[in-house]
Each structure stands twice: as C-alpha cells, then as structure tokens.
Amino acid sequence: MVTFGGIFCVVILAVMLPCLDVALGQSTDPSEVDALGAIKGSLLDPMNNLENWNRGDPCTSNWTGVFCHIINDALHVTELQLFKRNLSGTLAPEVSLLSQLKTLDFMWNNLTGSIPKEIGNITTLKLILLNGNQLSGFLPDEIGNLQNLNRLQIDQNQILGPIPKSFANLRHVKHLHMNNNSLSGKIPSELWRIPLLLHLLVDNNNLSGPLPTELAKAPALKIFQADNNNFSGSSIPATYSNIKTLLKLSLRNCNLQGAIPDLSAISELGYLDLSWNKLTGPIPTNQLASNITTLDLSHNMLNGTVPLNFSGLPNLQLLSVENNRLDGAVPSEIWNDIVLTGNRSLVLDFQNNSLKTIPAAFNPPQNVTVMLYGNPVCGNSSGAPIDSLCQPQSVNQQTSRQQQDSSLICSPCPSDKNYEYNPSSPIPCFCAVPLGVGIRLKSPGITDFNPYEGAFGDSTTSLLKLYIYQLHVEHYIWEVGPRLNMHLKLFPSNTSLFNMSEVVRLQHVLAGWEITLPDIFGPYELLNFTLGSYVDGISK
Ligand SMILES: *[C@@H]1O[C@H](CO)[C@@H](O)[C@H](O)[C@H]1NC(C)=O
Ligand SMILES: *[C@@H]1O[C@H](CO)[C@@H](O)[C@H](O)[C@H]1NC(C)=O
Ligand SMILES: *[C@@H]1O[C@H](CO)[C@@H](O)[C@H](O)[C@H]1NC(C)=O
Ligand SMILES: *[C@@H]1O[C@H](CO)[C@@H](O)[C@H](O)[C@H]1NC(C)=O
Ligand SMILES: *[C@@H]1O[C@H](CO)[C@@H](O)[C@H](O)[C@H]1NC(C)=O
Ligand SMILES: *[C@@H]1O[C@H](CO)[C@@H](O)[C@H](O)[C@H]1NC(C)=O
Ligand SMILES: *[C@@H]1O[C@H](CO)[C@@H](O)[C@H](O)[C@H]1NC(C)=O
Ligand SMILES: *[C@@H]1O[C@H](CO)[C@@H](O)[C@H](O)[C@H]1NC(C)=O
Ligand SMILES: *[C@@H]1O[C@H](CO)[C@@H](O)[C@H](O)[C@H]1NC(C)=O
Ligand SMILES: *[C@@H]1O[C@H](CO)[C@@H](O)[C@H](O)[C@H]1NC(C)=O
Ligand SMILES: *[C@@H]1O[C@H](CO)[C@@H](O)[C@H](O)[C@H]1NC(C)=O
Ligand SMILES: *[C@@H]1O[C@H](CO)[C@@H](O)[C@H](O)[C@H]1NC(C)=O
C-alpha cells in the first residue's frame, strides 16, 4: 500500500478552475511564488516530497499540496495541504505573504521552532492544522487577529507558555485543540466570550488554577476536556451547571478539591469524568441528564451513599465510583430502565469502598457487570452468590475489534491493484479497490463504541454522500485519553474502482473537516488517507 503521496492539486485544478483561465496563461501572484520559495527553503524534505516546487508556476504546474483559486481575477494560493509528508525544519514567517490562504495544513510532520507571529496577518485563514509536530515556543498573541479562523489544532507538540487572552477575539473559532503540549498558567477567563466555541481541549498540559468560573457563560461550549493538568487548590465551579450546551466535562487528575456541584441542570450532559482528584463530600443526588453514558468519579474521597438517582439513566454505559469512601448498601436498581438489547452493556464499578449490605435478591442481568471487590459486603457473605462479583477486576469494556475475515468463504480476488472483498457489499464476494482512512475520535462522549457503531456508519456515509455498504469499519482500538482510533475502508458502489474525481472529493471532504459527525462522537482527526493503487491515477 502506498500512503497518499500524489500530486492531487492537478485534479483539483482541473475540477475547480475553468481550464480557460489556465489556458489564458494566468500565473500565480509573484509575492506568493516568493513565499512558497521561502517556505520550502526553511523546510527539510528528506523524501523529496516537494521536489516539483521549483518547476514552473505553483498554481498551474501542479505543485504538491498547493491549491489555488482565482480571486479578483488573479490566481492565489488558498490551501497548503502538506499532511504527513515527512517534513522537518521550521515554518517560515513568509507564509504570511500567502494573503488568501484558507488552510494551513502541516499535520503529522516533524516541524520544529515556533509558530511565526506573522501568521496573524493571514486574515483569510480558516484552518490552522499543525498537530503532530515538534513545535515549541509560545503561542503568538497575533493568532487572536484571525477573525475567520474556524479551527486551531496544535495538539501533540511541545508548545510552552500561556494560552493568549487574545483568543477571546476569535469570533468564528469553533475548535481549540491544544492538548498534549506544555502550556502553563491559567485558562484565560476571557475564553467564554468566544461566541461559537464548541470544543476546548487542553488536556495533558501544565495549566494551573483556578478553573475559570466565567467559562459557564460560554454560549456554545459542548466539550471541555482538561485532564492531567494541575489546578491545585481549585474546586469545580458550581456555575458550570449553567453551561446548558455542555455534553462532556472531563477533568481527570487535575488536583481538584471540594465538593462535586449539582450538574443535574445540564440537560445535554453525556459524559462526566472527575476521577483521580481529591473531591470530598457526598455525590449529588439529583437525577443527571438522561443522555449520560459515562460517569467516572473514581479515585476521590467521596462519602455518603450511592444515590438512588443513578437508576433511570437509560443510556448509561459506565458508572465508576471505585476507590472512594462510600458506605451503605449496594444499589440494585441502576439497570432498571436500561434496555439491554443487542450488544449493549453496562459496567458498575464499586470496588474499594465501604459498602456493607446488599439486597437479598441481587440479580444483575446478563451484560451488566458489577464489581464489588474491596467492600465489607464481600467479607460478610462468604459462599453467597455475590462471591463472583467480589473478585478484583479492571474495567475492561470491549477495547478493540478486529476485521472479520470474509476471504474464508470467497475465492481470492485478483491480486493486482489491491482488490479486496467489501464485507458490507450487497453483492456477495464482490472485489473492489478500497480507500483507507485512519481517523481518531479525540474526545468521544461514549465509553463503549459497540452500540454506536451503526449510528457512526449511518452518519459518516450520509455525510460523505456514500451508501451505507460503501463503508467498512475495519478495526478500532481505544487509546489513552480515552480516544478511539479507527481504520475505515471506503469502497466504490457496485463497481471495482472509484473514479479519480470521487477519490479527490473524499480526501478533500475528510481533510477539510467539511463533515461534522453527530455531537456524541466529538471531534475527529485524520491520521492517514491511504490511496493504494489510486496513487497512480492521481500522479498521472
Ligand atoms: C498538470 O496536470 C494536468 C492534469 O493531469 C496535466 O494535463 C498537465 O500536463 C500537468 N501540468 C504540468 C506542468 O505538469
Ligand atoms: C515517510 O517516511 C516513511 C518512512 O521512511 C515512508 O514509509 C513513507 O512513505 C514516507 N512518506 C512520504 C509521504 O514521504
Ligand atoms: C518524526 O521524528 C521521529 C523521531 O525523530 C520519527 O520517529 C517519526 O517517524 C518522524 N515523523 C515524521 C512524520 O517524519
Ligand atoms: C505582519 O505581522 C507582523 C508581526 O505580527 C507585523 O509586524 C507586520 O506589520 C505585518 N505585516 C503586514 C503586511 O501586515
Ligand atoms: C498525551 O499525553 C499523555 C500524557 O503524557 C499520554 O499518555 C498520551 O499518550 C498523549 N496522547 C497523545 C495522543 O499524544
Ligand atoms: C509546570 O508549571 C510549573 C509552574 O506552574 C513549573 O514550576 C514546572 O516546571 C512546569 N513543569 C513542566 C513539566 O513544564
Ligand atoms: C501541583 O501544584 C502544587 C502547587 O503549585 C504543587 O505543590 C504540587 O506539587 C503539584 N502537583 C503535581 C503532581 O505536579
Ligand atoms: C440526547 O442525545 C440525543 C442523541 O443521542 C439528542 O438527539 C438529544 O438532543 C440529546 N439531548 C436530550 C436532552 O435528550
Ligand atoms: C432524584 O432526582 C429528582 C429530580 O432531580 C429529585 O426530585 C429527587 O429528590 C431525587 N431523589 C433522591 C432520592 O435524591
Ligand atoms: C463526609 O466527609 C466530610 C469531611 O470531608 C465530613 O464532614 C462528613 O461528615 C462526612 N459525611 C458522611 C456522611 O460521612
Ligand atoms: C449481551 O447479551 C446478549 C444476550 O442477552 C448477548 O447475545 C450479547 O452478546 C451480549 N453482549 C455483550 C456485549 O456482552
Ligand atoms: C492508518 O491509520 C490507522 C489507524 O491508526 C492504522 O490502523 C493504519 O495502519 C494506518 N495506515 C497506514 C497506511 O499508515
């Protein structure tokens, strides 16, 4: 298999620009040609991926990763798509001379140095995609000038220093993904003023407290994930119960103290992780939103009893209160309103508390796992039917799934061009050449993907304008975060090969975040796009 490596701007140009313009001999704005020269000059390109960046005109001679449009009768570079090209070196400040740039994509390379402050001059920028590099230095305040910015992805770098207050000016930004860096200082309280902010991911940094109470005024916030920072001395602001749009709050291992506020008023809350803190007092008893799938309060110092209102949560997948100081009875009604059909399951982890009694008839249904190890109730009842629930266990949802092998019943496909069976095809044993797509859900609102796989397939195919049988989720695996890493295969519809414009369309839609998955799946990131034998078609 050959990972995407072709010169697909060729096709984009052919598709998007009237051929006439090229024929008229139009050429790229000269300052932009210079800018591309400077950008190449400060990159290291050991695999010669930018070999053709000195041949003819960037926009009309098919330079790798350069996409152009005609704006005000002149050819301008609008996208730099240099996703996973084995590039290192630095990002030249001259990038700011690309005055009509909308997408700056250097994801999954090895760029070093800092993000140049001149980037703040490119007022047209919509997507800054620099995740998965080795960038260091501070975040420039000037990014706050980018009034059209929709998405800032700088996760998985080594960026230092504070989150600039100027980000409050990003009128159009929806996604701030800054996890896995070395950001420090407070989360600026001004961020609540970003009117469209949906996803704020700052987990795995070195941020300190307090958590901004003002964030509660954020008008659109759905996901706030800040695990593995040190908000020492800070408690969870009670005002967070006012974030009506909040779907996920994840503050694991943040050195938080104090009581858990009553979050029952957040009607969309689907995922709450407050584990590995120093939270004290009782668990609030009011009924949480019916959408909740995951509730992890483990490894705190909570006391009192397990609230009766944990029953009647129809979407619950995981309730963990492991390693606290809870006493009283083991609740026996939690699963009552859950329809456990198909591959639906529920894990209830009560290990290492002080639960002393259990109802006489304690009979959890199949697919409900109850963990009681480390509670006095286990010692009290030797030989009782609950003994099997008293063994030490770790929460072990189905963590991965491998491909089913259909080749056993079908005769082999032709071996040229990477033909494969489409396991979902309505025509049995139909050989076709798939595209491979590695994606990762960065902050999903679920703990068990199994019951959601159907919904994921339905929405992904409908957003990509494919039939449901054109998608095969080959395998998935949960990674730390938790994040869900998946490999998808996209098959042509009842023919063996996609045509090239379809290949380009799919790549562009996925890499440009032109689709939005349902909220429950959270943000996704593209890890790879495997062209396989289509690479020949694309690089002619
Ligand atoms: C660019 O690609 C198009 C379409 O594949 C091709 O016709 C054209 O000759 C290429 N131009 C250059 C300069 O390589
Ligand atoms: C990047 O380098 C790896 C390892 O050398 C290689 O397998 C891959 O094909 C390269 N990709 C590109 C686009 O150069
Ligand atoms: C980046 O560098 C690291 C080690 O220096 C290497 O393992 C990795 O493959 C490189 N990645 C890319 C995309 O070049
Ligand atoms: C570009 O940005 C730099 C630094 O932010 C600034 O000094 C310079 O004036 C800007 N240039 C233009 C042409 O706006
Ligand atoms: C983020 O950082 C955490 C803690 O260092 C690490 O366990 C995790 O693998 C990192 N995640 C990614 C996607 O790099
Ligand atoms: C984290 O921030 C503290 C100050 O808040 C600093 O002393 C410490 O060195 C930082 N740690 C890392 C790993 O950057
Ligand atoms: C967290 O911060 C506090 C106060 O700055 C410090 O005393 C403590 O050692 C830090 N904890 C960790 C795990 O870094
Ligand atoms: C719950 O989730 C569903 C989809 O999973 C969504 O349609 C609905 O709006 C959510 N909110 C409530 C309050 O049910
Ligand atoms: C359960 O929640 C409802 C609604 O918030 C509340 O009225 C009731 O008192 C709660 N029950 C218990 C036992 O706390
Ligand atoms: C829970 O712990 C707090 C101290 O953190 C204590 O004041 C309170 O009395 C305890 N409550 C129960 C029910 O044990
Ligand atoms: C749930 O139980 C059903 C039978 O009641 C079984 O077929 C299914 O495999 C179980 N699912 C899981 C995930 O355990
Ligand atoms: C693409 O990413 C997926 C998910 O991480 C992985 O399983 C697959 O092996 C990757 N493919 C290539 C060609 O790197």
Side-chain angles (χ1 to χ4, degrees):
M1 286 254 167
V2 188
T3 300
F4 171 72
I7 313 172
F8 75 103
C9 56
V10 175
V11 188
I12 283 285
L13 270 173
V15 170
M16 293 189 174
L17 295 178
C19 293
L20 193 65
D21 296 308
V22 178
L24 286 173
Q26 207 150 13
S27 57
T28 311
D29 181 292
S31 63
E32 299 187 15
V33 181
D34 292 347
L36 291 171
I39 291 169
K40 185 180 177 184
S42 59
L43 292 172
L44 296 171
D45 177 21
M47 308 300 285
N48 276 325
N49 277 305
L50 308 184
E51 190 177 31
N52 60 9
W53 275 37
N54 53 16
R55 193 171 66 207
D57 181 82
C59 290
T60 58
S61 304
N62 307 334
W63 286 20
T64 298
V66 177
F67 295 80
C68 304
H69 276 97
I70 293 171
I71 298 165
N72 299 332
D73 293 329
L75 259 178
H76 290 281
V77 177
T78 53
E79 300 181 28
L80 271 188
Q81 298 261 17
L82 293 166
F83 166 80
K84 219 173 184 183
R85 296 280 185 177
N86 290 329
L87 300 170
S88 52
T90 62
L91 184 56
E94 287 85 349
V95 70
S96 67
L97 299 174
L98 301 174
S99 65
Q100 299 293 333
L101 196 66
K102 291 199 170 86
T103 303
L104 179 67
D105 176 357
F106 280 93
M107 295 189 291
W108 311 116
N109 285 287
N110 267 335
L111 299 189
T112 53
S114 52
I115 300 175
K117 62 181 186 311
E118 288 77 5
I119 209 172
N121 291 342
I122 319 174
T123 54
T124 50
L125 264 182
K126 284 190 169 159
L127 308 178
I128 298 182
L129 310 171
L130 297 171
N131 50 302
N133 281 284
Q134 300 185 34
L135 295 165
S136 53
F138 284 24
L139 279 172
D141 286 341
E142 288 79 359
I143 289 180
N145 298 337
L146 298 173
Q147 295 293 304
N148 288 301
L149 195 66
N150 169 283
R151 179 179 287 267
L152 176 68
Q153 288 188 183
I154 54 153
D155 41 300
Q156 293 187 245
N157 280 286
Q158 291 136 32
I159 293 171
L160 299 165
I163 300 170
K165 288 186 169 59
S166 65
F167 282 15
N169 302 325
L170 295 169
R171 276 192 298 138
H172 283 111
V173 89
K174 291 185 172 174
H175 297 273
L176 291 176
H177 300 177
M178 306 189 280
N179 55 281
N180 289 69
N181 280 287
S182 298
L183 298 172
S184 56
K186 297 180 175 55
I187 298 176
S189 55
E190 289 82 357
L191 292 191
W192 74 268
R193 284 200 248 124
I194 305 178
L196 302 178
L197 183 62
L198 291 178
H199 298 164
L200 178 58
L201 309 186
V202 291
D203 47 293
N204 300 298
N205 278 289
N206 189 20
L207 296 165
S208 51
L211 284 169
T213 51
E214 295 87 344
L215 206 60
K217 298 185 213 163
L221 191 64
K222 286 188 178 160
I223 296 179
F224 178 34
Q225 178 156 12
D227 316 315
N228 300 321
N229 284 290
N230 186 357
F231 303 114
S232 173
S234 186
S235 53
I236 299 162
T239 52
Y240 284 10
S241 62
N242 299 330
I243 319 181
K244 297 298 180 222
T245 51
L246 196 65
L247 190 131
K248 176 167 178 172
L249 179 64
S250 193
L251 299 169
R252 182 171 10 102
N253 186 31
C254 284
N255 213 350
L256 295 167
Q257 60 187 42
I260 299 180
D262 176 8
L263 300 173
S264 61
I266 309 177
S267 57
E268 306 281 318
L269 191 65
Y271 193 113
L272 179 65
D273 185 348
L274 302 175
S275 61
W276 298 94
N277 283 294
K278 295 174 180 159
L279 301 170
T280 51
I283 298 173
T285 52
N286 285 338
Q287 180 97 47
L288 288 167
S290 63
N291 271 10
I292 202 112
T293 68
T294 305
L295 196 49
D296 191 346
L297 307 176
S298 63
H299 296 273
N300 280 290
M301 300 181 291
L302 303 167
N303 62 6
T305 57
V306 180
L308 294 175
N309 266 341
F310 280 159
S311 318
L313 299 172
N315 295 298
L316 195 63
Q317 299 184 322
L318 172 67
L319 167 64
S320 178
V321 292
E322 186 210 348
N323 279 75
N324 277 287
R325 298 172 183 171
L326 301 169
D327 59 19
V330 178
S332 62
E333 272 113 39
I334 290 180
W335 50 81
N336 276 359
D337 288 340
I338 301 184
V339 186
L340 288 156
T341 52
N343 42 18
R344 184 81 167 74
S345 64
L346 171 64
V347 173
L348 303 172
D349 187 350
F350 299 119
Q351 294 178 97
N352 297 314
N353 278 287
S354 301
L355 303 178
K356 294 190 181 65
T357 60
I358 192 161
F362 188 81
N363 194 14
Q366 214 186 352
N367 290 353
V368 175
T369 307
V370 180
M371 305 179 181
L372 296 176
Y373 172 79
N375 282 282
V377 69
C378 284
N380 292 348
S381 63
S382 100
I386 67 158
D387 270 5
S388 62
L389 313 179
C390 285
Q391 307 306 314
Q393 291 185 58
S394 56
V395 174
N396 190 18
Q397 293 286 87
Q398 184 171 16
T399 51
S400 64
R401 182 175 60 63
Q402 293 301 315
Q403 179 172 29
Q404 307 97 330
D405 197 354
S406 61
S407 60
L408 296 174
I409 46 164
C410 302
S411 53
C413 283
S415 57
D416 64 321
K417 291 207 169 196
N418 307 321
Y419 281 104
E420 287 177 29
Y421 288 115
N422 175 359
S424 321
S425 173
I427 307 171
C429 295
F430 189 81
C431 292
V433 181
L435 289 166
V437 183
I439 68 167
R440 181 157 57 187
L441 305 185
K442 282 204 246 196
S443 186
I446 51 177
T447 295
D448 181 8
F449 183 61
N450 244 325
Y452 289 86
E453 189 171 338
F456 176 81
D458 288 346
S459 50
T460 308
T461 50
S462 109
L463 291 161
L464 289 173
K465 300 192 169 68
L466 299 174
Y467 294 103
I468 181 88
Y469 58 80
Q470 291 185 260
L471 171 71
H472 174 56
V473 179
E474 185 187 32
H475 60 79
Y476 64 78
I477 184 163
W478 285 95
E479 296 178 343
V480 283
R483 308 187 209 275
L484 187 62
N485 182 320
M486 319 196 222
H487 195 242
L488 314 179
K489 282 188 170 167
L490 306 179
F491 286 89
S493 175
N494 297 337
T495 73
S496 327
L497 290 168
F498 281 114
N499 63 32
M500 289 319 294
S501 62
E502 183 70 347
V503 172
V504 170
R505 182 185 72 83
L506 290 168
Q507 208 274 347
H508 221 73
V509 167
L510 282 162
W513 279 273
E514 289 170 21
I515 64 170
T516 307
L517 292 174
D519 291 336
I520 190 88
F521 299 113
Y524 76 87
E525 63 187 331
L526 190 63
L527 299 175
N528 61 52
F529 191 85
T530 308
L531 283 167
S533 22
Y534 294 106
V535 76
D536 302 331
I538 273 185
S539 54
K540 77 206 163 280

Coordinates of all heavy atoms in Angstrom, one line a residue, residues 219-245:
P219 N -21.4 30.6 25.3 CA -22.8 30.3 24.7 C -22.9 29.0 24.0 O -24.0 28.5 23.8 CB -23.0 31.5 23.8 CG -21.7 32.1 23.6 CD -20.8 31.7 24.7
A220 N -21.8 28.4 23.5 CA -21.9 27.2 22.7 C -21.1 26.0 23.1 O -21.1 25.0 22.4 CB -21.6 27.6 21.2
L221 N -20.4 26.1 24.2 CA -19.5 25.1 24.6 C -20.1 23.7 24.8 O -21.0 23.5 25.5 CB -18.8 25.5 25.9 CG -17.6 24.7 26.4 CD1 -16.4 24.9 25.3 CD2 -17.1 25.1 27.7
K222 N -19.5 22.7 24.1 CA -20.0 21.3 24.2 C -19.0 20.4 24.9 O -19.4 19.5 25.7 CB -20.4 20.8 22.8 CG -21.6 21.4 22.3 CD -22.1 20.7 21.0 CE -23.4 21.4 20.6 NZ -23.6 21.1 19.1
I223 N -17.8 20.6 24.6 CA -16.8 19.7 25.2 C -15.7 20.5 25.9 O -15.1 21.4 25.3 CB -16.1 18.8 24.1 CG1 -17.2 17.9 23.5 CG2 -15.0 18.0 24.8 CD1 -16.7 16.9 22.5
F224 N -15.5 20.3 27.1 CA -14.3 20.9 27.9 C -13.5 19.8 28.5 O -14.0 19.1 29.4 CB -14.9 21.9 28.9 CG -13.8 22.5 29.7 CD1 -12.6 22.8 29.2 CD2 -14.0 22.8 31.1 CE1 -11.6 23.4 30.0 CE2 -13.0 23.4 31.9 CZ -11.8 23.7 31.3
Q225 N -12.4 19.5 27.9 CA -11.5 18.4 28.4 C -10.2 19.0 28.8 O -9.5 19.6 28.0 CB -11.3 17.4 27.3 CG -10.4 16.2 27.8 CD -10.7 14.9 27.0 OE1 -11.4 14.9 26.0 NE2 -10.1 13.9 27.5
A226 N -9.9 18.8 30.1 CA -8.6 19.4 30.7 C -7.9 18.5 31.6 O -7.2 18.9 32.5 CB -9.0 20.7 31.4
D227 N -8.0 17.2 31.3 CA -7.4 16.2 32.2 C -5.9 16.4 32.3 O -5.2 17.0 31.4 CB -7.5 14.8 31.6 CG -8.9 14.5 31.1 OD1 -9.9 14.8 31.8 OD2 -9.1 13.9 30.0
N228 N -5.3 15.9 33.4 CA -3.9 15.9 33.6 C -3.2 17.3 33.5 O -2.3 17.5 32.8 CB -3.2 14.9 32.6 CG -3.6 13.5 32.7 OD1 -3.8 13.0 33.8 ND2 -3.8 12.8 31.6
N229 N -3.8 18.2 34.2 CA -3.2 19.5 34.5 C -3.2 19.6 36.0 O -3.7 18.7 36.7 CB -4.0 20.6 33.9 CG -3.8 20.7 32.4 OD1 -2.7 21.1 31.9 ND2 -4.8 20.4 31.6
N230 N -2.7 20.7 36.5 CA -2.6 20.8 38.0 C -3.3 22.1 38.4 O -2.7 23.1 38.6 CB -1.1 20.8 38.4 CG -1.0 20.7 39.9 OD1 -1.9 20.8 40.7 ND2 0.3 20.7 40.4
F231 N -4.6 21.9 38.6 CA -5.4 23.1 39.1 C -5.4 23.0 40.6 O -6.5 23.1 41.2 CB -6.8 23.1 38.5 CG -6.9 23.0 37.0 CD1 -7.4 21.9 36.3 CD2 -6.4 24.1 36.3 CE1 -7.4 21.9 34.9 CE2 -6.5 24.1 34.9 CZ -7.0 23.0 34.2
S232 N -4.3 22.9 41.2 CA -4.1 22.7 42.6 C -4.9 23.7 43.4 O -4.8 24.9 43.1 CB -2.7 22.7 43.0 OG -2.5 22.7 44.3
G233 N -5.7 23.3 44.4 CA -6.4 24.2 45.3 C -7.7 24.7 44.7 O -8.5 25.4 45.3
S234 N -8.0 24.3 43.5 CA -9.2 24.8 42.8 C -10.3 23.8 43.0 O -10.1 22.6 43.1 CB -8.9 24.9 41.3 OG -9.9 25.5 40.6
S235 N -11.6 24.3 43.1 CA -12.7 23.3 43.1 C -13.5 23.5 41.8 O -13.2 24.4 41.0 CB -13.6 23.5 44.3 OG -13.9 24.9 44.4
I236 N -14.4 22.6 41.5 CA -15.2 22.7 40.3 C -16.2 23.8 40.4 O -17.1 23.7 41.3 CB -15.8 21.4 40.0 CG1 -14.8 20.3 39.8 CG2 -16.7 21.5 38.7 CD1 -15.3 18.9 39.9
P237 N -16.1 24.9 39.6 CA -17.1 26.0 39.8 C -18.5 25.5 39.7 O -18.9 24.8 38.7 CB -16.7 26.9 38.7 CG -15.3 26.6 38.2 CD -15.2 25.1 38.5
A238 N -19.3 25.9 40.7 CA -20.7 25.4 40.7 C -21.4 26.0 39.4 O -22.4 25.5 39.0 CB -21.4 25.9 41.9
T239 N -20.9 27.1 38.9 CA -21.5 27.8 37.8 C -21.5 26.9 36.5 O -22.3 27.1 35.6 CB -20.8 29.1 37.4 OG1 -19.4 28.8 37.3 CG2 -20.9 30.2 38.4
Y240 N -20.7 25.9 36.5 CA -20.6 25.0 35.3 C -22.0 24.3 35.1 O -22.3 23.9 34.0 CB -19.5 24.0 35.4 CG -18.1 24.5 35.2 CD1 -17.9 25.9 35.1 CD2 -17.0 23.7 35.0 CE1 -16.6 26.4 34.8 CE2 -15.7 24.2 34.7 CZ -15.6 25.6 34.7 OH -14.3 26.1 34.4
S241 N -22.8 24.3 36.1 CA -24.1 23.7 35.9 C -25.0 24.6 35.0 O -26.1 24.2 34.6 CB -24.8 23.5 37.2 OG -25.0 24.7 37.9
N242 N -24.5 25.8 34.7 CA -25.2 26.7 33.8 C -24.9 26.5 32.4 O -25.4 27.2 31.5 CB -25.0 28.2 34.2 CG -25.4 28.5 35.6 OD1 -26.4 27.9 36.1 ND2 -24.7 29.4 36.3
I243 N -23.9 25.7 32.1 CA -23.5 25.6 30.7 C -24.5 24.6 30.0 O -24.2 23.4 29.9 CB -22.0 25.0 30.5 CG1 -21.1 25.7 31.5 CG2 -21.6 25.3 29.1 CD1 -19.6 25.3 31.3
K244 N -25.6 25.1 29.5 CA -26.7 24.3 29.1 C -26.3 23.4 27.9 O -26.9 22.4 27.6 CB -27.9 25.2 28.7 CG -28.4 26.0 29.8 CD -29.0 25.1 30.9 CE -29.6 25.9 32.1 NZ -29.2 25.4 33.4
T245 N -25.3 23.9 27.1 CA -24.9 23.1 25.9 C -23.9 22.0 26.2 O -23.6 21.3 25.3 CB -24.3 24.1 24.9 OG1 -23.3 24.8 25.6 CG2 -25.4 25.0 24.3

